[in-house]
Amino acid sequence: MAISETVAASTATQCDILRHQHYLATVEKSPLTAEQCQATVAMPDRMLLVAAAGSGKTSVMVAKVGYALLTGQYQAGQILVLAFNNKAAQELQERIHTRLRHLIPVGQQVKTKTFHALGLEVISAVQGMRPDVAVSTEGSALTDNVALNDLIKHSVQNDADFAEQWLLFRLFYCRELRSPAHFKRRKQWLDFVRANGSGLGRHLGFLSLNGDMLMCQCELAVANWLYMQGVPYNYTSMRTNHSIFRWGRPRPQGFLLLHSQCWVLVSTQANQRDTSSSSMQAGKQLHISFDDLVSGRLFRRLRMALTAWGQPVRPRTGAYMMQRLGGDMSSDELEFLRAFIHHARSNALDGCSLRKRVAQHAQADRAGTLTGFLAALLRAHASQIAQSNVLDFQEMINRASQYVATGRYRHPYRLILVDEFQDTSQASAALIKTLLQQNPSCKLFAVGDDWQSIYRFAGADTRLFTHFEEYFGKASKYFLRASFRFNQGIADVATEFIQHNPDQLKKQVVALATDRTDSVVITHYHTQAEMLARCLLCLDEIQQYASGLAVTTVYILGRYRHQQPTELAQWQTRFPGLQLEFKTIHAAKGLEADYVLVLGLQGGRYAFPSEINANPLLQLVMPDAETWPDAEERRLLYVAMTRARHKVYLVASALVPSRFVSELAKYSGVLNTGAMT
């Protein structure tokens, strides 16, 4: 159901604005605009405020808290303000204290917190003491990787089921999974084996821990599992050099278990059974297919067969298997697993949820094969947290939600205000919902801008904002369209650019500064030296604009940290009238400067839009990907452009052009200066 947009203020709202016009004119340093006044006095049960960049949303949040106190609708202790990070929470707290001090009785306070601080408060109240807090996402990567590696080693050595799933992860994490049946030609299959397998002399295949050169990845999983269980076998291949597959007439090959004289036959097609070999017919047989591998049932079927045959096993120790498979996990593997755990917990996903998501995954075979290990790791991690009684940031939110949902914590809040709502994760949204459900009269006021949602990699789900009613019920939507920050030239270009994505909420941004002249400039370069020269020309021009001013701020923004110019200190010396600062675009969000230079606008390895794709397995646990291409990258460039008050310089490669620059160059409001000659 679409949100019912508030087109005009109701008569009652207009009366409230007139009745409190003195307060609305003085609560902040400047009188509130008409849109800000409407958003301040409206008090529906659910309200979404869509605020353009630089439109004064913080002023509205402060004014709304004051209005609630002034009119006696709420007491200070019944109001909760939630912010995205500590800096934002502190700013809101200081603004509320400074501007509303006369409205808050002595001994009372309006609580302004981050989601993590709220979670910690809830848990401390229920448990009777403040729990220890682990350094997590803000700690050193080395510490986190060491702790995670120790958890995996302990689980491998003490949990046989975990060890089996870990074996699959080590075998196939970095490799695409395919069966010969996926290829139309033998040459295509051989190319795949060369890329993902091993070579031993003139032989090509997949090398097992037992030293066998195997024909396919399913065989590799069977052979290494038998090796892990200490089951001796002879490997029999009916053909060599992959001619076995006889494209269109694949045949199984197998493992003869020496004790029980039983066969494990591996087919190159799903559910393929072949009884053409009389030698194999003499003993009992278990037919294994690629489907068994990717569905996660391979090891279960093997174990059941060995038990039925009376085949003894002598499992090798976890420590030995870890050593045989290369010892500790690599930093890349650990970084992936840390991100996977973070996103799974941020989106409240468990093993059952993962398995449901596998069918829709772009690499369903690979995901299905590794899901068993990933689910087991989530359980081991949760168990470790429960036993240690040490909380990380995500556990603060998840456990607090449980305590509120079960009634172990009763909250006093009747009005909840949430800043930067476009950056909310599913876990944070779940905490909000439990607070609202516990007290049906509690109202929610969410503020943000879906055009500035750039934290999906950290767990933010933009759908919580764009589809607000699906999660929180019928709501009223208000807008802040007037920007106090940038001029109309920047507003026009940035708005046209972001609304190229039809999934973004529509609004027309109106800047108080009406200038439209050359506010967005593209300047091209061919070489690194030309790029630096172009930056100097831009800074020369800015210094001319700034002549006579006390301080002129300039942000030099990059898509990546390594794009910071090494000459920045020299530039600062050369332009003493300018205050130069490099930031990544993510770090610049919420900030502003007089002028902005955006670097790294290019194609290639470090392209903007970025062509560095996250590990596809992370899609199992991340918020659903958007259908519009480069949606978040587009929002990132929008954020970069809207940091500037007066002018934006887009420093772009002419040799390897950015797709975004090619698009922007066609806009009527963009000055394209061409390349240096």
Side-chain angles (χ1 to χ4, degrees), residues 178-181 189 215-220 222 235 238 244-245 249-255 264-275 280 286-293 298 301:
R178 285 291 184 269
S179 162
W189 166 249
M215 294 292 115
C216 64
Q217 291 166 312
C218 191
E219 282 190 343
L220 180 64
V222 171
Y235 172 67
M238 296 173 60
I244 177 176
F245 300 122
R249 295 178 56 196
R251 296 181 179 179
Q253 56 273 325
F255 301 84
V264 177
L265 307 181
V266 179
S267 171
T268 59
Q269 283 191 340
N271 301 320
Q272 174 76 24
R273 290 173 177 256
D274 184 75
T275 57
M280 290 185 180
L286 172 67
H287 293 262
I288 294 296
S289 71
F290 184 76
D291 284 349
D292 292 311
L293 174 62
L298 172 61
R301 293 195 65 207

Side-chain angles (χ1 to χ4, degrees), residues 365-521:
D365 290 342
R366 181 177 178 225
T369 303
L370 302 184
T371 294
F373 169 74
L374 297 170
L377 181 62
L378 290 177
R379 291 192 297 270
H381 187 267
S383 177
Q384 182 188 54
I385 290 176
Q387 292 174 14
S388 67
N389 199 32
V390 176
L391 305 182
D392 62 8
F393 290 161
Q394 196 56 56
E395 185 65 14
M396 294 178 198
I397 296 176
N398 292 345
R399 191 177 299 184
S401 293
Q402 295 172 9
Y403 286 160
V404 175
T406 57
R408 296 183 65 183
Y409 178 83
R410 306 296 300 182
H411 72 84
Y413 307 117
R414 295 178 54 221
L415 175 61
I416 299 175
L417 301 88
V418 185
D419 191 20
E420 301 289 2
F421 197 81
Q422 77 280 349
D423 296 327
T424 303
S425 68
Q426 286 287 346
S428 297
L431 178 54
I432 295 171
K433 290 178 72 172
T434 59
L435 293 170
L436 297 174
Q437 289 165 358
Q438 189 182 98
N439 182 359
S441 66
C442 186
K443 295 184 177 182
L444 173 62
F445 175 63
V447 185
D449 183 9
D450 63 300
W451 294 5
Q452 300 183 72
S453 179
I454 58 173
Y455 289 110
R456 180 173 180 262
F457 69 90
D461 189 345
T462 189
R463 280 184 56 86
L464 292 167
F465 193 95
T466 57
H467 295 73
F468 186 81
E469 281 193 336
E470 292 182 13
Y471 297 91
F472 297 98
K474 185 174 176 59
S476 298
K477 181 168 64 174
Y478 285 72
F479 286 90
L480 297 182
R481 299 178 178 88
S483 177
F484 301 93
R485 179 184 300 160
F486 41 77
N487 58 42
Q488 194 61 49
I490 295 174
D492 290 344
V493 171
T495 298
E496 182 179 358
F497 179 72
I498 195 65
Q499 292 194 142
H500 191 71
N501 178 358
D503 296 329
Q504 303 291 168
L505 297 180
K506 303 302 180 186
K507 62 178 177 286
Q508 186 61 46
V509 180
V510 178
L512 270 65
T514 59
D515 184 25
R516 283 186 166 92
T517 307
D518 300 341
S519 298
V520 180
V521 176

Side-chain angles (χ1 to χ4, degrees), residues 586-603:
H586 284 97
K589 185 172 177 293
L591 306 176
E592 58 187 57
D594 294 315
Y595 297 89
V596 165
L597 276 68
V598 184
L599 308 184
L601 288 163
Q602 62 190 39

Side-chain angles (χ1 to χ4, degrees), residues 526-635:
H526 288 91
T527 65
Q528 180 70 10
E530 284 187 4
M531 187 275 286
L532 297 175
R534 276 298 187 187
C535 289
L536 289 175
L537 289 175
C538 294
L539 293 175
D540 273 327
E541 183 174 274
I542 293 171
Q543 182 157 272
Q544 295 176 22
Y545 294 147
S547 178
L549 299 178
V551 177
T552 297
T553 56
V554 180
Y555 279 164
I556 300 171
L557 302 181
R559 175 64 180 81
Y560 306 98
R561 290 189 182 93
H562 73 263
Q563 291 169 336
Q564 177 173 345
T566 56
E567 299 80 4
L568 188 59
Q570 299 173 24
W571 294 354
Q572 185 63 81
T573 302
R574 178 169 174 173
F575 301 102
L578 307 181
Q579 183 178 311
L580 307 180
E581 187 174 2
F582 175 84
K583 289 182 177 294
T584 64
I585 302 173
H586 284 97
K589 185 172 177 293
L591 306 176
E592 58 187 57
D594 294 315
Y595 297 89
V596 165
L597 276 68
V598 184
L599 308 184
L601 288 163
Q602 62 190 39
R605 182 179 181 186
Y606 292 104
F608 194 175
S610 175
E611 296 178 4
I612 301 175
N613 296 319
N615 190 311
L617 289 174
L618 284 179
Q619 304 304 320
L620 280 172
V621 288
M622 292 181 71
D624 292 339
E626 297 170 83
T627 56
W628 192 257
D630 303 315
E632 185 149 329
E633 291 290 299
R634 182 175 291 270
R635 293 193 292 266

Side-chain angles (χ1 to χ4, degrees), residues 308-375:
W309 297 336
Q311 172 70 50
V313 297
R314 297 179 180 85
R316 304 179 193 272
T317 66
Y320 175 80
M321 289 300 299
M322 293 197 78
Q323 186 274 329
R324 287 290 283 116
L325 284 167
D328 291 344
M329 304 187 80
S330 70
S331 59
D332 286 344
E333 289 173 325
L334 292 169
E335 288 295 335
F336 160 73
L337 292 174
R338 285 178 56 207
F340 191 94
I341 291 171
H342 168 78
H343 284 291
R345 298 173 69 220
S346 178
N347 289 288
L349 299 174
D350 55 16
C352 182
S353 305
L354 292 182
R355 283 184 284 274
K356 290 180 180 178
R357 288 184 166 216
V358 166
Q360 285 76 42
H361 195 269
Q363 297 181 3
D365 290 342
R366 181 177 178 225
T369 303
L370 302 184
T371 294
F373 169 74
L374 297 170

Side-chain angles (χ1 to χ4, degrees), residues 180-247:
H182 289 126
F183 299 88
K184 293 182 178 180
R185 297 181 180 178
R186 178 171 175 268
K187 182 182 181 302
Q188 294 173 327
W189 166 249
L190 290 177
D191 289 342
F192 173 81
V193 176
R194 289 189 185 95
N196 294 277
S198 306
L200 188 62
R202 64 185 184 88
H203 298 288
L204 186 66
F206 299 90
L207 187 63
S208 75
L209 295 174
N210 198 45
D212 304 300
M213 185 60 74
L214 308 171
M215 294 292 115
C216 64
Q217 291 166 312
C218 191
E219 282 190 343
L220 180 64
V222 171
N224 284 350
W225 184 85
L226 293 173
Y227 182 86
M228 173 185 276
Q229 302 305 323
V231 177
Y233 65 84
N234 282 337
Y235 172 67
T236 300
S237 175
M238 296 173 60
R239 291 283 194 279
T240 59
N241 256 355
H242 300 268
S243 60
I244 177 176
F245 300 122
R246 291 187 180 179
W247 255 244

